[in-house]
Structures are given as C-alpha cells and as structure tokens.
Amino acid sequence: DVDVSARLFMGRKVSSGVPDVPLSAKDTDADIAEQWNKFRAEFVRPKTALIFHLTNHYALIFALREWITQDGQEIRQVLTTRRGQRPTVWMDFAECRAIVTKSP
C-alpha cells in the first residue's frame, strides 16, 4: 500500500494558488539563492520526487549540482531531460526559472 500526494512546490503564482516557493522574473539574486536553497532542501527530503514542467513536457529531476568557479561565479544545475524520460542534460537553474516564469 503506497500513499502518493502532489503539490505545487515551486512556480509562478497562479489563480488556483500560490506555490510553496513562488518564482518571478523580477526576483533578485538573493531571492534566487534562497529559492535554490529551498529547492535543494526539498530534493534531498526522504520519500520525495520532484517533477519539472517544461514546455509541453513533464520530466523527473534526477540530480542537482553546484559549484563556484575560480572567478567567483556560482553555478547551479539540475539533471533532467528536454525530451523523453532519461536524464540527458545538466540544465542551469536560471534556465529552469526562465521556463517556469516564461521570461527570456
């Protein structure tokens, strides 16, 4: 017997409700850092799976990674897929946010 539930964890504010972590194209760097921290915390939570809604496609989030380059730039990436269901691309968190917020 398995219990399954779903909720809108991260995304744009919509008429049907506000996600736990709302995103906006107007978010500051500090907002984005906090969103990443909450995303990472949710990803490692036991018995949790995150599904990403890309354009006309749902995909599992397989892994996260982050590092700081020698010049101090923070890199945050998500392992997911653009097509199909196998993990095929390390997508920048900024691109994930742009897809969700529909900003370029």
Side-chain angles (χ1 to χ4, degrees):
D1 196 26
V2 177
D3 290 327
V4 177
S5 63
R7 73 182 201 282
L8 179 57
F9 170 69
M10 180 179 278
R12 289 183 295 138
K13 295 178 185 177
V14 292
S15 59
S16 59
V18 177
D20 296 351
V21 182
L23 302 181
S24 166
K26 297 177 184 177
D27 289 334
T28 66
D29 288 345
D31 294 332
I32 294 168
E34 182 63 22
Q35 292 161 355
W36 173 259
N37 291 336
K38 290 178 179 178
F39 184 59
R40 185 181 55 217
E42 190 70 12
F43 181 80
V44 300
R45 203 177 88 178
K47 299 183 180 182
T48 299
L50 298 177
I51 298 173
F52 177 33
H53 184 213
L54 293 89
T55 306
N56 297 320
H57 181 64
Y58 287 92
L60 189 64
I61 301 295
F62 291 92
L64 306 179
R65 67 182 181 183
E66 61 185 317
W67 70 94
I68 299 175
T69 64
Q70 289 182 340
D71 62 351
Q73 181 184 6
E74 291 181 84
I75 307 295
R76 301 176 180 115
Q77 294 182 332
V78 173
L79 180 61
T80 191
T81 181
R82 294 183 195 279
R83 295 175 29 182
Q85 294 302 317
R86 294 182 188 184
T88 56
V89 63
W90 282 100
M91 186 180 298
D92 286 333
F93 185 59
E95 182 179 353
C96 296
R97 291 184 78 267
I99 291 168
V100 171
T101 61
K102 304 284 192 264
S103 65

